[in-house]
């Protein structure tokens, strides 16, 4: 395996290229055109291009995180959705994304950055339209593994010192913990 050094712009190009490559494989193997409420497009063979769903991680939003990737994929004719990730915990965020995915007709490629990787893993479960998962510097927890445990699991991780855990009370008295970056902690 060849290793390469990347610049800040290279990951955006890599994500777009990976998603486009996965999409190309899917469109060449598709045997029926389908439509989506998100303007399905077709390739030269008439097969529906998959919808690429881009899920941001924590401390980010969909428009800023994925803007370069969205432009490239749309330029190449792919329908793209970049939903807002509620960032209220995996138990709520994954079902939220799963419900959005139910509205998409035809093949779907999910890409997740950072925390978004765990969200796409769980949201894709049981959805036959999800054909590929793309992880971009993302969490991919093992079954039953908690994300909070992953933050300090590996030596050298600066994440535990760079976050501030803030408890909250939600509707109906439910409770949870929001995680915010510490000012100057090095997180984006």
């Amino acid at each position: 395996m060849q290793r390469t050094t990347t610049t800040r712009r290279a990951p955006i190009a890599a994500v777009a290229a990976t998603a486009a490559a996965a999409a190309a494989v899917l469109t060449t193997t598709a045997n029926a055109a389908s439509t989506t409420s998100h303007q399905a497009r077709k390739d030269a063979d008439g097969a529906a291009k998959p919808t690429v769903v881009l899920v941001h991680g924590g401390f980010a939003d969909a428009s800023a995180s994925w803007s370069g990737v969205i432009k490239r994929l749309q330029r190449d004719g792919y329908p793209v959705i970049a939903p807002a990730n509620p960032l209220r915990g995996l138990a709520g965020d994954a079902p939220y994304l799963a419900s959005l995915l139910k509205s998409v007709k035809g093949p779907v490629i999910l890409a997740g950055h950072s925390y978004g990787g765990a969200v796409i893993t769980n949201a894709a479960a049981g959805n036959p339209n999800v054909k590929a998962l793309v992880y971009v510097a993302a969490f991919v927890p093992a079954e039953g593994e908690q994300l909070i445990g992953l933050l300090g699991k590996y030596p050298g991780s600066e994440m535990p010192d760079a976050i501030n855990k803030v408890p909250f009370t939600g509707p109906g008295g439910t409770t949870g913990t929001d995680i915010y970056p510490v000012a100057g902690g090095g997180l984006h």
Side-chain angles (χ1 to χ4, degrees), residues 117-134:
V119 175
I120 68 170
T121 299
N122 287 277
N127 186 328
N129 286 343
V130 176
K131 305 301 181 187
L133 300 173
V134 179

Side-chain angles (χ1 to χ4, degrees), residues 137-158:
F139 287 103
V140 187
E143 187 173 340
E145 191 170 30
Q146 298 294 314
L147 288 178
I148 199 74
L150 287 174
L151 293 178
K153 183 176 180 178
Y154 300 99
S157 173
E158 296 177 9

